[in-house]
Amino acid sequence: TADIRPGDVILRFTGPRIGLAEAVAKGSLHCNPLQIADACYIDLDEPGVLVNHSCDPNAGIVDDVVLVALRPIRRGEEVRCDYSASMADGTWELDCRCGASACRGVVRDFEFLLPAVRSRYLGLGVVQGFIAAKARRRVTKGLTGISHQIRRR
């Protein structure tokens, strides 16, 4: 109903917490719960459940449950986030028809994003905390391996 500036809070996701089995049992609605930890989800209430996906999002999730604008969003423009920045359970994917010029054609877990997209989202702070922590551990582990190889030479 109003213009939104970059960084503005759009909404806080709310709803009861459910486990992986309950999320998977939703079948085609498995995209509705928001993953906030390994095997832990929020079964989203409105209006959060109405936020759609885009491979070129205008919003992102910070602090696991807060949706913020990534760029100016004009009054009447649909608010969209990239579901892949909040997914890491290996159980769900969706054919994408978001219409973005950079559409990936499929929405899958964070690990399947191109490295540049992962880096961008991590830099913006719009990756769920548990996923960002795993990504940092992978980088640290990789750097440790590289420094070990250099010392051996």
Side-chain angles (χ1 to χ4, degrees):
T1 60
D3 290 342
I4 303 170
R5 296 175 311 217
D8 282 356
V9 171
I10 298 168
L11 64 86
R12 178 175 293 278
F13 291 104
T14 61
R17 290 180 186 234
I18 61 174
L20 175 61
E22 292 168 289
V24 171
K26 291 185 161 290
S28 64
L29 298 178
H30 184 190
C31 63
N32 286 354
L34 173 66
Q35 190 174 9
I36 56 171
D38 285 320
C40 184
Y41 301 77
I42 296 175
D43 195 9
L44 295 175
D45 295 326
E46 286 192 20
V49 72
L50 302 175
V51 176
N52 284 321
H53 164 82
S54 176
C55 294
D56 184 21
N58 57 14
I61 302 169
V62 298
D63 299 328
D64 295 333
V65 295
V66 179
L67 188 68
V68 298
L70 297 178
R71 61 169 175 78
I73 302 172
R74 293 183 182 203
R75 179 177 173 227
E77 182 180 351
E78 184 175 10
V79 174
R80 294 177 165 200
C81 67
D82 190 335
Y83 290 176
S84 293
S86 66
M87 295 172 38
D89 65 16
T91 64
W92 181 83
E93 66 179 45
L94 171 73
D95 289 336
C96 185
R97 294 181 291 279
C98 71
S101 61
C103 181
R104 298 184 299 270
V106 64
V107 182
R108 297 172 31 181
D109 286 355
F110 182 76
E111 69 180 294
F112 295 108
L113 291 173
L114 292 172
V117 176
R118 287 194 311 260
S119 292
R120 178 174 174 260
Y121 288 167
L122 287 165
L124 289 170
V126 293
V127 178
Q128 294 298 72
F130 76 102
I131 298 171
K134 287 178 188 178
R136 284 191 298 274
R137 282 193 300 271
R138 258 186 245 120
V139 168
T140 301
K141 185 177 179 183
L143 291 175
T144 302
I146 290 169
S147 66
H148 178 72
Q149 289 174 12
I150 292 170
R151 283 193 305 264
R152 287 181 55 198
R153 290 183 182 168

